[in-house]
Amino acid sequence: MVQPNPVSERRLAIDQLDRAIVRLAAKINAANYELLVMIREFDERGGWLKWGYENCTQWLHWRCDLSMSAAREKVRVAHMLKGLPEISGAFAKGVLSYSKVRALTRVADPLNEASLLSFAMTTTASRVEERCRQMRNVEPGSVDDANRAHRRRSLRAWRDRERGMMTITVELPVEDGELITQALDQATEAGGEPEFGDTPWAARQADALVAIARSYLAGGFKNGADSKPSHQVVIHVDESALTDGEGRSDLPVESVRRLSCDCSVVRMVENASGEPLSVGRKQRTVPTAIKRALWARDRGCSFPGCAHKRFVDAHHVRHWSKG
């Protein structure tokens, strides 16, 4: 019999509801840590052998009704936490979520654990995942990842004669995909329809793809030295990642080296906090260089919880009139 929840029987004020949700989330985080500790002990003692399974992942998949990928991750994280006491402590207190811990355990070690934990405690889970992905891109295995992604590039076209439609599926390495999205955005803006017109954005991008194809077939694109670049893709990579194999990189370092062979490079200097540039007080508008630096740092809207990466603008944190 399901017992009534006393909280759900009354309507709480929004602030009370906010605090109740945060408290419950912290309890779930702590419970997740306790669960992983038990999974680790169960695996170390070979408990899954009693049920005739080959490993703990298979047992967890069956016994706890998890997908194989989710079960595999829980077993991995459970064992990695054994050597990360500071992250484990924050997780056990409920102040660190499983999403953050899952990302941190892919790159954390006794040398960088403290700095990674400090970063994770002051930012969102998505940015923790991005930071850890950047660190993994510098590891030796990232070369194989980059080559594997390049080999897997493909395009498939499926024609639905009855509906009179065609579905085109493209898989590309991220850096090549970014070029396509920028080309589509520029072609969409060149279409002339207002940003908030009646035509959906997805339909306008489909029209832009057709316009690009027509322009190419009409000879509107040239290959070789005569072509002029009209796009820019910002990739953050530490200089040490290219030379010493340390630091961070948006892409596998092998991909960055390949791209930098025939692209113009804009160099930015950051401080230890990741601040690329500062805006001078005499200039009220935001110049292109500062916008580029903001994008390199924030990758989109910096408002807490906002994940928008398009149609964003640069603003002062404090009003200009207040200094």
Side-chain angles (χ1 to χ4, degrees):
M1 179 178 178
V2 179
Q3 297 295 324
N5 187 340
V7 176
S8 63
E9 291 181 349
R10 65 185 190 277
R11 290 181 63 86
L12 298 177
I14 289 298
D15 289 343
Q16 291 177 310
L17 192 58
D18 168 81
R19 290 192 293 270
I21 292 172
V22 172
R23 284 196 299 269
L24 182 58
K27 291 180 181 178
I28 292 174
N29 292 338
N32 268 325
Y33 171 77
E34 186 177 355
L35 172 66
L36 292 181
V37 170
M38 289 189 290
I39 289 174
R40 182 174 67 221
E41 181 182 354
F42 187 85
D43 191 20
E44 289 176 342
R45 295 172 61 181
W48 37 271
L49 289 170
K50 182 177 179 180
W51 283 266
Y53 284 97
E54 296 180 2
N55 52 56
C56 189
T57 297
Q58 293 180 354
W59 174 87
L60 201 59
H61 165 64
W62 165 70
R63 200 74 171 92
C64 295
D65 214 14
L66 299 176
S67 68
M68 284 296 290
S69 59
R72 188 178 300 109
E73 272 295 276
K74 287 192 180 296
V75 173
R76 181 192 67 80
V77 174
H79 285 286
M80 291 300 298
L81 283 174
K82 191 173 184 178
L84 302 170
E86 294 185 51
I87 293 176
S88 295
F91 195 15
K93 293 177 183 177
V95 296
L96 208 61
S97 69
Y98 174 70
S99 296
K100 289 183 177 180
V101 171
R102 181 179 57 193
L104 291 172
T105 52
R106 295 192 180 108
V107 296
D109 57 41
L111 297 178
N112 63 19
E113 180 187 8
S115 60
L116 281 174
L117 178 59
S118 177
F119 172 75
M121 294 294 291
T122 59
T123 190
T124 62
S126 61
R127 296 203 173 187
V128 172
E129 290 174 352
E130 181 182 35
R131 171 67 65 89
C132 295
R133 177 180 54 79
Q134 290 173 335
M135 294 176 65
R136 293 177 68 196
N137 281 336
V138 181
E139 296 175 354
S142 68
V143 176
D144 295 334
D145 294 338
N147 293 334
R148 189 180 304 111
H150 186 67
R151 288 193 300 269
R152 288 179 177 176
R153 67 193 187 282
S154 64
L155 185 148
R156 299 178 181 86
W158 181 70
R159 296 166 178 79
D160 188 342
R161 303 293 184 185
E162 294 184 0
R163 294 173 56 234
M165 300 291 287
M166 175 183 286
T167 301
I168 300 175
T169 303
V170 183
E171 288 194 1
L172 292 170
V174 173
E175 63 273 17
D176 294 332
E178 291 291 351
L179 294 178
I180 291 180
T181 56
Q182 287 217 9
L184 287 174
D185 286 347
Q186 290 189 18
T188 301
E189 293 172 0
E193 185 167 342
E195 180 180 333
F196 300 104
D198 295 333
T199 306
W201 177 258
R204 292 177 61 196
Q205 291 235 296
D207 295 340
L209 179 61
V210 175
I212 291 174
R214 285 176 175 168
S215 179
Y216 181 87
L217 293 174
F221 292 87
K222 295 181 179 180
N223 295 321
D226 294 335
S227 59
K228 296 181 179 180
S230 60
H231 55 266
Q232 181 184 75
V233 177
V234 178
I235 300 173
H236 184 287
V237 55
D238 294 339
E239 185 176 6
S240 59
L242 296 173
T243 57
D244 304 326
E246 299 178 353
R248 296 181 288 132
S249 174
D250 278 349
L251 298 173
V253 287
E254 186 68 17
S255 297
V256 176
R257 294 189 182 103
R258 177 167 54 84
L259 289 172
S260 59
C261 285
D262 56 0
C263 293
S264 59
V265 177
V266 177
R267 183 173 179 146
M268 294 183 187
V269 179
E270 297 180 348
N271 61 18
S273 301
E275 298 287 343
L277 291 171
S278 59
V279 182
R281 287 182 175 270
K282 294 182 180 180
Q283 190 167 6
R284 183 166 184 172
T285 58
V286 183
T288 302
I290 299 300
K291 288 184 178 179
R292 185 185 298 123
L294 286 173
W295 183 260
R297 183 190 68 183
D298 298 332
R299 312 304 175 88
C301 182
S302 59
F303 189 84
C306 181
H308 288 183
K309 296 183 180 295
R310 299 172 114 175
F311 308 119
V312 293
D313 205 349
H315 291 281
H316 296 90
V317 175
R318 293 183 300 168
H319 287 296
W320 177 266
S321 59
K322 296 185 179 181

